[in-house]
Amino acid sequence: MEQVLIFQLGEETFGLEVALIQEVVESPLLHYIPRAPNHVLGAINFHGNILPVLDLASYLGFPSGGRDHRVVVLPPEVCSLALAVASIRRIIPMDAEALLPFPREQQEQLYIRAVLNYQGTMINLLDTTRLLASLETV
């Protein structure tokens, strides 16, 4: 059974499959990147690799608020990138039968591939493929 890391962006609850996460890093030291877009908070030194840190809430248009002291590092085979989110909650199991379809016309705008109904809480599953593709055009 797959697992999902739950986090907040604004008032919305999002999830990211654990298989798409290399590590959650506690309080990484952020280094300023000159002339970086506003949604790039800086860069971290992750085991000798320099990774940009994307402010996911800002990039997706959620109101800026507090950020978790941890960042989510994606595996290198997915992308050399770390994600800053408002609040990392916990890891939950994902039952594929609990996935609800998400309107296709909104998938591209919101980067949501499906909605997971977990104990009455609706969790938006982040569509990393669309998210990363959109970053390539920025």
Side-chain angles (χ1 to χ4, degrees):
M1 179 176 281
E2 288 187 58
Q3 295 182 313
V4 176
L5 175 72
I6 305 302
F7 57 91
Q8 292 292 129
L9 294 177
E11 299 293 322
E12 297 291 324
T13 304
F14 275 79
L16 179 63
E17 292 92 332
V18 170
L20 297 173
I21 299 170
Q22 181 170 359
E23 189 173 325
V24 175
V25 179
E26 296 278 339
S27 306
L29 179 61
L30 277 173
H31 300 276
Y32 175 73
I33 301 175
R35 304 174 73 182
N38 290 339
H39 53 268
V40 176
L41 297 174
I44 62 171
N45 182 344
F46 180 70
H47 304 299
N49 295 312
I50 306 303
L51 302 178
V53 178
L54 176 69
D55 182 347
L56 191 57
S58 170
Y59 185 72
L60 297 181
F62 288 93
S64 59
R67 283 190 298 274
D68 201 287
H69 63 280
R70 300 165 286 187
V71 297
V72 178
V73 176
L74 302 180
E77 60 271 15
V78 173
C79 185
S80 296
L81 182 69
L83 303 174
V85 298
S87 174
I88 295 175
R89 299 292 171 103
R90 61 188 173 130
I91 293 175
I92 63 169
M94 181 176 76
D95 180 2
E97 293 182 11
L99 291 177
L100 304 172
F102 193 74
R104 188 157 191 78
E105 60 274 1
Q106 295 179 351
Q107 287 180 354
E108 288 186 33
Q109 297 171 336
L110 301 176
Y111 304 100
I112 298 169
R113 71 174 185 85
V115 176
L116 174 65
N117 183 357
Y118 182 75
Q119 298 178 344
T121 300
M122 305 307 251
I123 300 166
N124 302 309
L125 289 182
L126 187 65
D127 187 335
T128 53
T129 301
R130 283 199 176 102
L131 173 69
L132 297 174
S134 73
L135 288 170
E136 292 177 3
T137 61
V138 175

